[in-house]
Amino acid sequence: MDAPLDELLAEFNVDVSTLEAGPGFTGGAYVRSDGGILFVRPAGRPEAEWEMMARAMLGRALRVPLPDLPDLYELTEL
């Protein structure tokens, strides 16, 4: 999980779509039936925030234990 984010996303077949969203949305993920993953990246958010959220979402999708996110952030599974 320490590899550059673009390499991780390519390795695990993650597509990224950018979406205009409100300030409370920091990203979303959908695991497809074929095992591929779609991440939704909010437009205009800081790069460091996206990096953190993308890694957290990938870790959750792959069931890899990762450190907790900072208090301002939360991952919710539906």
Side-chain angles (χ1 to χ4, degrees):
M1 294 298 285
D2 291 334
L5 183 58
D6 290 342
E7 290 178 20
L8 281 173
L9 298 180
E11 180 179 346
F12 292 102
N13 193 27
V14 178
D15 295 319
V16 178
S17 179
T18 302
L19 172 76
E20 292 292 331
F25 180 73
T26 56
Y30 174 73
V31 179
R32 298 178 176 128
S33 60
D34 67 359
I37 303 171
L38 170 65
F39 281 179
V40 178
R41 177 183 183 169
R45 302 296 295 210
E47 188 67 29
E49 179 183 78
W50 169 245
E51 177 97 13
M52 174 184 64
M53 294 308 298
R55 289 176 185 281
M57 291 188 300
L58 184 60
R60 179 73 59 92
L62 298 174
R63 304 290 186 226
V64 174
L66 295 173
D68 291 337
L69 290 168
D71 289 340
L72 294 174
Y73 300 94
E74 178 180 335
L75 287 180
T76 303
E77 287 188 51
L78 302 175

